[in-house]
Amino acid sequence: MKRSYYSDSIANFCKATPEEIIGKLAINNEFSLEQSQRDAWNEEIKILHETLVSFQGSIYFEYSIPRMGQRIDVVLLIGPAIFVLEFKIGENEFASYAIDQVWDYALDLKNFHESSHDKYIAPLLIATKAKHAHLAISVTPQNDKLLFPVKCNVGLLGKAIEDVLSFVEGGNIDRTQWENGRYCPTPNIIEAAMALYNGHSVDEISRSDASAINLGQTSDAISDIIRHSREKSQKSICFVTGVPGAGKTLIGLNIATTHIDDSSDLYSVYLSGNGPLVEILREALARDKVRLAKERGSRIKKGKAISEVKTFIQNVHHFRDDCLIDEKSPPIEHVALFDEAQRAWNVEQTSSFMRRKKNKPNFNYSEPEFLISCLDRHPDWAVIVCLVGGGQEINTGEAGIGEWLESLNRSFPKWHIYISSMLTDSEYGAGEVLKTVASLPNVVYKDELHLAVSMRSFRAEHVSLLVKQILDLNIDKAHATLEKVKANYPTVITRDLGKAKQWLKKQARGSERYGIMVSSKAERLKPYAIDVKSTISPIHWFLDGKEDVRSSYYLEDVATEFDVQGLELDWACVTWDADFRYSKSGWEYRSFCGDRWNNIKKPERENYLKNAYRVLLTRARQGMVIVVPPGDIEDPTRHPKFYDPIFEYLREIGFSEI
């Protein structure tokens, strides 16, 4: 795949005229060419013609970073180093956002471009009107050959390149080998949604490791089922499973963005009962749409952008309520993708809600059964895709995937059922119900409907397994898995929240996002300025920058499992309270009420609490610090005996202490 609009040797570049170079850039440009872009290219070419005459290597203009939906201004291969150049034409200052931007580009190559992994990468930020520059050359603390961003002006650009070359070591980079290196990105769900919405394919923005069933294969399998269902005028339901972070949401968004034209009978909708996730995805896509329009010289109002996004990303409860208004007509969509389908409400929760909020006293359907009935109204064909996470139920009334199967067996026996071969695993809770649907006439098991490898944690694929073993109290297996994880995924423990914050800030580079998360029942962390009763705005927490006190970066507001489920951070701090305690006889479950901790006795509520910690401990993409407070012997609600066994348990597994 050709990743840049223009590429050549530096020697040929220096011989070419600006008109020839801009001509090639314009031909390969995917968008309408604005005069401002032409002027920027012209200025960059002029600067580089003067700067690069004494260097040998290769040059690439507008190098694609689909994970971020952006392009690097210029990439240079000179000697043993890769130079990432970000120009700020006419700027006289080195803005913090611009430093993060060029650092992010360099990180993207370091982490996701196969032939850049082991190379020195130097991010250079060029403010063309700056009077002063900062040419200090040094590697970041991770010591992975990524340099701190170098801030320079036009006059010192050549010296900056020379200083980097005198600092690094190794042989010349082979241009052909570098160009042919696979780009295997692992975007977070927000980046992925923006890239898909802007026309990138799921293959472009996802890993293609031999160890994983490619996301494209799963998407293709679902698309085949959709096409077959339409051709045969039949109704089908798919159950897609995957480990935490495996890309289930990405699959749903990919299908939804592929069939985004509401005039087509393949029109589809992505549905989720996860309110924060829906809000954040809508806001992120709308902001990105406004940003791109501005960059391309046009304008779109934020409200209009959000309205467009709302058509294919919807809250499942709103979709349900629309179907209640007219109980006979089918929805406009023939294809509905239900994310976190296991969290749909059982009949008790749904009936109670309908009685209290919708004035429907005789409503006796579970949410799965009603949602299937809505698509069943189509006279010809329909497809439901259930995206299923294991051990993710965290709230009262969540039915689990078994209720979907029960509903099919009870009320929709003629539907064609396509089941992930891993739905039989105990963590999905399908249980005995799978045996009952096995007797139905149209049941098919497909390996392609399971995503076995976490895409969230590109540094370590065993994090979800480690967390499962920790929660299952399997010390020996957890210890062995942790040894595999630690090589590429820093995981540490501490009793000091201040040290944890310092650790997060030291680990993160560029705009890598970090934040503090706690259980929604962690009510005795107030002495550490953590109040779970103080609600956050997930949009601000996940999307706003380092300058905003409401963002995760400020390490003031904390998120709970309800805020972060389905989302992720690069670096996470999980602060553990006395609601979930370790003992030699097993986990102890507590809820704080009034002035004391009370035992949780219902197995269902115990399971919700354990799953809350499962969610929290699997949110980080690159590394995690777990804080177990020391407690206070003078405070009976925070006695050290509540916390010390948790810390010792984690230390016994092998976590390093800071």
Side-chain angles (χ1 to χ4, degrees), residues 424-443:
T424 55
D425 195 285
S426 61
E427 67 183 291
Y428 297 108
E432 294 296 310
V433 188
L434 276 172
K435 296 177 182 178
T436 62
V437 296
S439 62
L440 296 177
N442 302 303
V443 178

Side-chain angles (χ1 to χ4, degrees), residues 313-604:
I313 295 181
Q314 295 182 28
N315 188 301
V316 67
H317 303 309
H318 298 163
F319 177 85
R320 175 204 63 202
D321 293 347
D322 285 343
C323 291
L324 279 171
I325 296 171
D326 184 345
E327 297 186 11
K328 294 190 180 296
S329 298
I332 183 176
E333 303 89 356
H334 278 258
V335 181
L337 304 114
F338 293 101
D339 202 359
E340 297 175 11
Q342 75 283 353
R343 297 188 63 191
W345 290 349
N346 59 29
V347 65
E348 293 81 13
Q349 183 79 359
T350 311
S351 298
S352 172
F353 175 84
M354 292 297 181
R355 185 177 62 255
R356 290 181 291 106
K357 300 292 187 180
K358 300 296 178 181
N359 195 28
K360 290 187 175 291
N362 299 314
F363 193 92
N364 290 313
Y365 299 102
S366 66
E367 201 165 41
E369 184 166 1
F370 181 69
L371 292 170
I372 297 172
S373 75
C374 296
L375 274 295
D376 194 57
R377 297 173 190 172
H378 282 287
D380 45 7
W381 70 280
V383 175
I384 293 173
V385 180
C386 292
L387 306 165
V388 187
Q392 300 284 298
E393 299 90 348
I394 59 175
N395 212 347
T396 302
E398 292 177 356
I401 206 61
E403 177 56 29
W404 288 89
L405 297 167
E406 288 274 21
S407 298
L408 289 163
N409 189 50
R410 183 171 57 241
S411 306
F412 307 99
K414 293 183 180 180
W415 274 57
H416 291 247
I417 305 172
Y418 297 87
I419 300 177
S420 157
S421 54
M422 292 301 294
L423 196 65
T424 55
D425 195 285
S426 61
E427 67 183 291
Y428 297 108
E432 294 296 310
V433 188
L434 276 172
K435 296 177 182 178
T436 62
V437 296
S439 62
L440 296 177
N442 302 303
V443 178
V444 178
Y445 283 83
K446 295 180 76 71
D447 292 342
E448 298 91 334
L449 297 181
H450 179 67
L451 299 165
V453 178
S454 175
M455 310 296 283
R456 173 181 299 134
S457 175
F458 60 87
R459 293 194 178 278
E461 296 165 348
H462 304 285
V463 174
S464 59
L465 175 61
L466 171 63
V467 171
K468 184 178 188 300
Q469 290 165 343
I470 291 171
L471 296 178
D472 288 347
L473 301 174
N474 196 324
I475 293 177
D476 292 339
K477 287 187 177 180
H479 175 78
T481 304
L482 179 60
E483 290 305 306
K484 296 176 186 176
V485 167
K486 284 197 294 191
N488 296 305
Y489 183 98
T491 49
V492 296
I493 57 176
T494 183
R495 311 302 298 265
D496 188 328
L497 183 59
K499 285 184 179 179
K501 291 181 178 180
Q502 292 171 4
W503 186 86
L504 286 177
K505 292 177 179 178
K506 184 178 179 182
Q507 298 298 320
R509 297 181 285 187
S511 64
E512 290 177 344
R513 187 168 287 274
Y514 50 85
I516 302 173
M517 299 179 298
V518 299
S519 156
S520 59
K521 293 192 177 300
E523 295 196 32
R524 290 307 299 134
L525 297 176
K526 287 183 180 178
Y528 308 100
I530 293 176
D531 183 3
V532 293
K533 297 297 186 185
S534 178
T535 58
I536 67 166
S537 163
I539 286 175
H540 294 303
W541 202 80
F542 270 104
L543 297 182
D544 290 351
K546 296 176 182 178
E547 73 288 346
D548 195 314
V549 298
R550 299 166 296 181
S551 76
S552 66
Y553 291 117
Y554 246 75
L555 300 177
E556 290 184 2
D557 291 339
V558 301
T560 72
E561 68 272 18
F562 298 114
D563 301 311
V564 302
Q565 188 174 42
L567 294 154
E568 56 233 334
L569 300 169
D570 290 294
W571 302 90
C573 168
V574 178
T575 305
W576 204 305
D577 201 9
D579 55 334
F580 191 53
R581 304 178 193 175
Y582 173 78
S583 74
K584 293 293 183 182
S585 59
W587 294 108
E588 297 177 357
Y589 306 84
R590 299 287 193 277
S591 176
F592 195 79
C593 184
D595 62 353
R596 62 175 59 86
W597 292 103
N598 295 325
N599 289 322
I600 293 176
K601 296 179 181 179
K602 289 185 177 180
E604 181 185 60

